[in-house]
Amino acid sequence: ELTTDDVAWSLEHMLRPETGSPGYAFFTLLEGVDDFRNGKAQHISGIVLANEIAIGAIVDGFRVATEREIAQGRWVVGNEGIAGKRPDVFLRDGGKAWAIEVERHRKNAKDYMRLISWLDALCRSVMSQGRVLVGPELRLERVVFVCSPRFSAKLCRDLMDAGWSKPKIDSLLHFETSLYRIEDIAFL
């Protein structure tokens, strides 16, 4: 079974100077490649959680739009996003889609309120149409938050305070806290 760690290891192996791979030229824009190749970092910093999620989904057979493709508007939904917002990763399989939101840190109040407003817009769409269509015959199944347990609890509490019911939250959102991690910071 191929895992995201296998893909990351393969990429790092290929990019080691001693490997002498001509493929290096394709990855020069990846953040942290130079530090990795010069021995200043043990891993490539540009291989981040959103990318790991995308790689894992590709391995599992999903069609994936990565953070970069989404930022460039090169995904099935286009520049307008889903109700005006672009997710970190977008997965699809047949007529089903999932928006992945990686919450790396605590949001400032303005961004957090925008997130609540966006979720409210999605909820209104479900209430009026019975679903959220994000493209031709493409239905948003859920928004998946990869986050800390603390963020998950706060968001659920705030949504319930705004009038959401637990079944409504469970039907539109999923929280994946096992993937969330904070890397140790080494001060050199």
Side-chain angles (χ1 to χ4, degrees):
E1 177 177 313
L2 184 66
T3 68
T4 57
D5 288 337
D6 296 333
V7 173
W9 182 89
S10 297
L11 183 60
E12 288 180 347
H13 178 73
M14 178 191 66
L15 293 174
R16 291 184 194 287
E18 59 270 18
T19 304
S21 171
Y24 162 72
F26 295 106
F27 297 95
T28 57
L29 296 178
L30 186 61
E31 183 179 328
V33 166
D34 290 335
D35 285 345
F36 175 75
R37 288 179 57 87
N38 294 330
K40 294 179 184 175
Q42 289 184 345
H43 299 285
I44 299 170
S45 62
I47 301 176
V48 295
L49 186 54
N51 293 338
E52 290 180 37
I53 292 167
I55 292 167
I58 291 167
V59 168
D60 286 344
F62 288 90
R63 303 232 16 220
V64 175
T66 63
E67 209 166 5
R68 182 178 177 151
E69 292 165 326
I70 292 168
Q72 294 174 346
R74 297 182 310 134
W75 61 310
V76 69
V77 179
N79 283 326
E80 66 277 0
I82 302 168
K85 184 177 183 327
R86 298 175 182 174
D88 294 318
V89 180
F90 186 75
L91 312 178
R92 59 189 170 120
D93 184 23
K96 297 178 181 181
W98 296 265
I100 312 298
E101 290 291 316
V102 180
E103 297 301 330
R104 296 172 187 88
H105 49 75
R106 184 175 180 205
K107 290 184 168 298
N108 66 42
K110 187 177 178 181
D111 288 342
Y112 187 74
M113 290 315 296
R114 267 190 284 217
L115 176 65
I116 297 287
S117 296
W118 178 65
L119 292 171
D120 277 336
L122 294 180
C123 186
R124 282 192 305 277
S125 180
V126 169
M127 299 296 277
S128 66
Q129 301 173 23
R131 62 185 183 267
V132 178
L133 292 177
V134 293
E137 300 181 30
L138 189 58
R139 173 187 167 155
L140 182 66
E141 292 293 311
R142 284 211 169 93
V143 176
V144 178
F145 284 93
V146 177
C147 60
S148 69
R150 189 175 189 172
F151 181 86
S152 169
K154 176 178 176 28
L155 184 58
C156 287
R157 187 174 53 250
D158 291 344
L159 290 172
M160 290 179 84
D161 288 348
W164 287 50
S165 65
K166 178 83 168 112
K168 187 188 297 185
I169 291 171
D170 292 343
S171 71
L172 187 59
L173 308 180
H174 175 77
F175 297 95
E176 183 53 62
T177 58
S178 67
L179 296 175
Y180 185 82
R181 64 184 183 273
I182 298 175
E183 301 292 334
D184 290 336
I185 298 173
F187 294 97
L188 304 173

